[in-house]
Amino acid sequence: MRTLEQDAKTCGTPWPFTGREDELELVRAASAAGRHGTAVTGPAGYGKTRLVEEALRDADHVRVTGTPEARDLPFAAFAHLLPDPVAPHRAVRALSGVRLLVVDDAHLLDEASAALVHQLAAHARTRLVVTAVDEAPVPGAVSRLWTGELLPRLALTPLPREDTARLLAAARLEPLTAGRLHRLCRGDLRLLRDLVTGLGAAGRLTAVPGTGERAWRGGLPVTPAVRERLAPVLARCGPGERDVLERLAFAEPLPLRLDDLGLDVLERLEADGLIEVDDHGAVTLAHPLHGPALRAVTGRLRARRLTRPPEGCGPALAAEQRTLARRIEQLDVRPAPTGVGEWAVAQGAPLPAGYAAVRARYARLRGEPREAAAWAREGLRQAPADPACRRELVLAEDQLGGTADTGGRGAAAGRDVDGDDVHALYESVRLGAPERVAGRLPAGSVFARHADALARGDGPGLDRAAEALAERGFLLFAAEAHAQAVRAHRDPRAARLSRTRAVALARRCQGARTPVLCGLVLGELTVRQRQIVALAAAGLSNREIAQRLTLSVRTVGNHLYSAYTRLGTADRGALPHLVELPVAEPA
């Protein structure tokens, strides 16, 4: 889904709109006829304005915006809509014909404009979509829109990691770089764009051979947005506090001990939310941006004094590797703390091939083939002949529907179900042949439950197995189990629900393509529905599709509604994923 409109708050062509499907539907529903509207709040940079623009692309609406320069001017935000001068009651009457009003940056409204917005909401003749930064001072008349229950409130959370990854993949950034940027920005999309722009301008993005992607290794660029985020931290530092923050920054990725630092200073920093102290007395910086930013702005001589030799990283990497290997054996690949490995890659430090292979396997089992391939490449960068990394690269590329340039896939990827490896045995279940490994999977395990349900053709059992797989982190395997349930269900409604769940999980798996997921959905649509769905997936609005196909907007909407019903989803954001799935040829 993308828009060709220019982002009102940034320069240049906006990035593709990614994620926020549920929020999009909430805004669209709240702004429909017969509804009062909604208030969208969240920290600065979370994409509130872009969300509203995308949700209302096809809706006729009037827009006003609060600005800091006009906060002292009565009705400044409405100056283009109202006669001058105007009394408050006449302002309400003058806007009575507006059916849908978007109020952007409502926290910056002057008091008269804020009161006018409140009156319009109270009269309930105008539908309102209001955005506001919830960490900034907000006029009372605006905050009472949601505290007084005049409007439902949609509080935005950070953009999920997989959506950030898709956004940065569009900018041709490799997965490890995307993960690093996601951790640093914590949902602040304005900071994210600033960093990507700064890295590109400084020539800090290097090509990853054979992929068409770019990677970032090394220190943080000190961009305007980085300085803006760091300035309030440094401004409120008291005696000794900046010294402690810098010591913690240069100690990363390892923590410092509580006993090594002044307790009074730590108490103040903890109260300000700048540090975290765990149950074992380990102290770290609270925000992942602060360490790299502090290192970037510290003078060269002081940096040399604070930099510690990295002798502790080797044992920490080995401990992370053992933890991941043990969890793979326990059939549990939920997210695990692996900050040392991520730090080593970010700095461009040599990464042991054994560690890289385990990280690649862990990511692949989690349904993250692009990340798995990236970890395998990191290992091969140091040890080009390492067989474990070569094997993981081929397996990851297989999940993506391609072939890695590793000098031959057969030797690296070959797996035999006559072996004892649980994950190798489970491949038969994923391919729809559970009888080949009957009784050979660990009794009672999530893999065995999946195999049993598939062998019995038990649709509900397959759905339960999928839920258990997802709970343990096997998202791609869970998507496949739901897809198998589609074919096993006798109830069409249950089949549609399983299809929806399969698609939702598959969307989180970095473009993985597997035999079970092929042709899952689009084969059920008519030729016209598939045509319209393909255009909607490419980002065209209903009106643009109607113009392209010489249809009415209502006809396009009706076709999409019918397609959604057959696909078991009302999520327009899922369409790009659906049309990318290859359609299986009939047997």
Side-chain angles (χ1 to χ4, degrees), residues 76-143:
F78 289 88
H80 61 299
L81 300 174
L82 297 174
D84 187 26
V86 64
H89 68 282
R90 292 188 179 276
V92 174
R93 187 180 305 170
L95 296 173
S96 61
V98 175
R99 291 290 171 256
L100 178 58
L101 177 66
V102 175
V103 184
D104 196 23
D105 284 343
H107 58 287
L108 297 176
L109 290 177
D110 59 273
E111 292 295 336
S113 293
L116 176 55
V117 170
H118 190 276
Q119 286 297 308
L120 290 171
H123 287 200
R125 288 192 293 268
T126 300
R127 305 192 302 279
L128 291 167
V129 177
V130 178
T131 74
V133 173
D134 56 13
E135 61 194 15
V138 179
V142 171
S143 63

Side-chain angles (χ1 to χ4, degrees), residues 173-522:
L173 299 184
E174 55 95 34
L176 303 186
T177 296
R180 182 183 182 187
L181 286 165
H182 175 74
R183 290 189 296 273
L184 290 174
C185 297
R186 282 190 171 180
D188 187 336
L189 299 179
R190 215 174 293 169
L191 173 61
L192 182 71
R193 179 161 186 169
D194 178 78
L195 282 176
V196 173
T197 302
L199 289 168
R204 304 274 289 277
L205 295 173
T206 59
V208 180
T211 68
E213 297 176 331
R214 300 173 295 166
W216 167 35
R217 302 291 184 263
L220 183 76
V222 185
T223 65
V226 170
R227 291 189 183 277
E228 179 184 329
R229 271 57 169 190
L230 189 59
V233 174
L234 299 181
R236 65 176 185 260
C237 280
E241 292 179 4
R242 177 163 181 169
D243 177 71
V244 170
L245 293 177
E246 288 177 343
R247 290 176 62 188
L248 290 168
F250 280 89
E252 289 181 343
L254 304 177
L256 292 180
R257 304 299 306 171
L258 196 63
D259 299 337
D260 299 334
L261 303 164
L263 188 57
D264 291 343
V265 172
L266 290 178
E267 288 178 350
R268 295 196 298 270
L269 292 173
E270 186 180 35
D272 285 341
L274 296 177
I275 64 168
E276 293 177 347
V277 184
D278 69 12
D279 295 338
H280 305 288
V283 186
T284 56
L285 293 171
H287 199 295
L289 178 70
H290 292 164
L294 285 167
R295 293 195 296 273
V297 300
T298 299
R300 187 171 299 177
L301 293 178
R302 180 162 175 76
R304 290 182 63 182
R305 182 166 65 84
L306 291 175
T307 300
R308 301 192 313 175
E311 67 271 0
C313 289
L317 273 177
E320 286 185 359
Q321 181 177 339
R322 289 192 298 271
T323 297
L324 296 178
R326 182 171 61 252
R327 296 186 68 169
I328 290 173
E329 292 175 1
Q330 295 170 344
L331 305 186
D332 184 353
V333 292
R334 284 172 286 192
T338 50
V340 180
E342 287 154 3
W343 179 88
V345 166
Q347 301 307 309
L351 195 70
Y355 178 91
V358 171
R359 283 300 299 264
R361 190 179 189 197
Y362 202 83
R364 177 173 56 81
L365 292 174
R366 283 178 47 78
E368 299 169 343
R370 294 186 67 245
E371 186 162 331
W375 281 109
R377 290 189 190 97
E378 283 297 315
L380 292 172
R381 192 161 62 91
Q382 301 301 322
D386 183 76
C389 286
R390 288 166 64 88
R391 180 174 61 252
E392 288 301 328
L393 181 55
V394 169
L395 291 171
E397 292 283 354
D398 280 348
Q399 279 191 355
L400 290 166
T403 303
D405 183 15
T406 59
R409 60 191 290 176
R415 288 195 171 206
D416 191 342
V417 295
D418 292 332
D420 294 325
D421 182 80
V422 171
H423 295 275
L425 294 172
Y426 182 61
E427 289 297 306
S428 292
V429 182
R430 297 179 59 208
L431 293 172
E435 67 280 355
R436 297 185 63 191
V437 293
R440 298 170 64 185
L441 293 167
S445 69
V446 65
F447 286 0
R449 281 180 276 164
H450 182 188
D452 179 64
L454 183 60
R456 291 185 289 106
D458 180 357
L462 284 166
D463 284 331
R464 289 193 295 272
E467 291 167 4
L469 286 164
E471 182 181 351
R472 286 181 163 261
F474 297 104
L475 299 189
L476 180 59
F477 301 166
E480 292 173 331
H482 278 308
Q484 290 168 337
V486 173
R487 300 173 177 89
H489 279 301
R490 293 185 176 88
D491 181 353
R493 290 174 298 180
R496 285 196 294 270
L497 181 58
S498 296
R499 180 184 295 111
T500 298
R501 291 171 173 171
V503 170
L505 286 168
R507 291 186 65 226
R508 299 171 61 185
C509 294
Q510 300 183 348
R513 299 167 182 259
T514 70
V516 179
L517 296 177
C518 288
L520 179 62
V521 288
L522 288 187

